[in-house]
Amino acid sequence: MPPTGPPPDWTRVEIAVPRPADRLPGIAMAGFRQRVPAVADIAMVAHPSVTLLVDLSETDGLAYRAHGRHRQGSFVAGLLPGELRAGGRVGACLQIRLGPVAAAAVLGAAAELSGTVVSLEDVWGRDAGRAEDRLRAAASWDERFAIAAEMLARRPEARRVDPEVAHAWRRTLAGRGRTRVDGLADEVGWTRKRLWSRFRSQLGITPKRAARLVRFDHAAHLLVAGHAATDVAARCGYVDQSHLHRDVKTFTGLTPAAVARAPWLAIDDVAWPAPPHPPRSLSRSVIGPR
């Protein structure tokens, strides 16, 4: 069944995050549990990460709708997933955000997942069911976060991203999408064509598209914070308000006003607090900043 019903009442949702010392570079996690069972329907807003949503419900559970298809259970949304709604009668779920560099390392599918929404089983195979069972049986959110971190860390290294591509991604994030591709190519000592080709083949998105996504993410959070669309457009480097409107429509299928009311973004500061600096490293150095 497709998700139906209103957005969740966040006062009735328990939100848990890993302790600062346990947070991992390039990976962010948050746990959600409905204190009072209720049906929810949430528009998932595009984010510059590959997102895993793991269903921990005992019955019914998570449902999602993307690209005209309705499916049930845990799923993985790549970069630029398009219009995506998730909900159902979800008792609890674990959301994991993987920066595309980390996603390439632990999933091996950052590029292939771009523009798609697939079941967790499609990505992890039989490991998906075993992961759900272990996480569901855990006694606390701290235990679940530890289990998830262990599972991610012990996966065989799937794909290494060039240091130059990882640097370009980090610079795009740091510049909030306003860093020019020519400048990034100069920084890593590559031609623009080589950076464009390697970035796209390894992360599944062009440097320019990545910059647009990161800039949109910054704009979306400003909209939710109550800033006027005209002010957001100017602060984020859009030509004008209509330019902002086009990007919002492209990434979400929504208007800026609808994004400003997006329930998922409304609790971002709680669910995704700023990581400590410097973060604790995983055993493999390939999982760098998202």
Side-chain angles (χ1 to χ4, degrees), residues 118-158:
V118 299
S119 72
L120 184 61
E121 186 176 9
D122 288 340
V123 177
W124 271 3
R126 293 180 180 177
D127 287 345
R130 288 193 284 265
E132 289 174 335
D133 289 342
R134 285 191 65 193
L135 290 166
R136 194 174 288 119
S140 68
W141 281 113
D142 283 343
E143 185 179 345
R144 285 176 178 142
F145 296 138
I147 290 170
E150 173 205 333
M151 291 188 298
L152 293 170
R154 76 162 184 250
R155 289 185 65 82
E157 182 181 327

Side-chain angles (χ1 to χ4, degrees), residues 29-237:
M29 291 186 273
F32 303 88
R33 184 181 69 84
Q34 297 247 33
R35 294 188 176 96
V36 179
V39 175
D41 183 14
I42 303 174
M44 303 283 287
V45 176
H47 184 269
S49 66
V50 174
T51 299
L52 280 65
L53 206 58
V54 184
D55 185 9
L56 304 178
S57 305
E58 296 294 339
T59 59
D60 294 331
L62 182 68
Y64 60 98
R65 179 170 66 245
H67 307 295
R69 298 177 63 192
H70 304 121
R71 301 187 69 178
Q72 196 109 9
S74 305
F75 66 86
V76 181
L79 296 174
L80 311 175
E83 294 186 50
L84 170 61
R85 301 193 72 88
R89 190 174 292 277
V90 184
C93 66
L94 171 66
Q95 186 175 355
I96 304 173
R97 287 177 173 176
L98 300 168
V101 176
V106 301
L107 299 180
E112 291 84 350
L113 285 170
S114 286
T116 69
V117 181
V118 299
S119 72
L120 184 61
E121 186 176 9
D122 288 340
V123 177
W124 271 3
R126 293 180 180 177
D127 287 345
R130 288 193 284 265
E132 289 174 335
D133 289 342
R134 285 191 65 193
L135 290 166
R136 194 174 288 119
S140 68
W141 281 113
D142 283 343
E143 185 179 345
R144 285 176 178 142
F145 296 138
I147 290 170
E150 173 205 333
M151 291 188 298
L152 293 170
R154 76 162 184 250
R155 289 185 65 82
E157 182 181 327
R159 186 171 301 171
R160 181 177 290 275
V161 171
D162 291 333
E164 294 85 353
V165 171
H167 174 82
W169 174 258
R170 289 193 298 268
R171 290 283 288 114
T172 300
L173 284 176
R176 289 178 168 169
R178 301 182 70 174
T179 306
R180 296 180 61 83
V181 178
D182 288 342
L184 293 174
D186 288 341
E187 286 184 24
V188 301
W190 282 359
T191 64
R192 176 189 175 95
K193 182 178 180 180
R194 178 173 175 77
L195 176 60
W196 192 281
S197 173
R198 299 294 287 175
F199 197 103
R200 182 174 185 175
S201 66
Q202 294 180 11
L203 302 188
I205 188 173
T206 67
K208 185 175 180 179
R209 190 77 163 167
R212 286 183 63 192
L213 175 58
V214 171
R215 180 173 62 177
F216 158 76
D217 181 61
H218 182 216
H221 283 85
L222 290 176
L223 289 168
V224 171
H227 296 275
T230 51
D231 178 49
V232 172
R235 291 179 60 175
C236 295

Side-chain angles (χ1 to χ4, degrees), residues 236-247:
C236 295
Y238 290 97
V239 175
D240 52 27
Q241 187 175 340
S242 63
H243 184 196
L244 168 65
H245 191 284
R246 288 195 299 273
D247 255 21

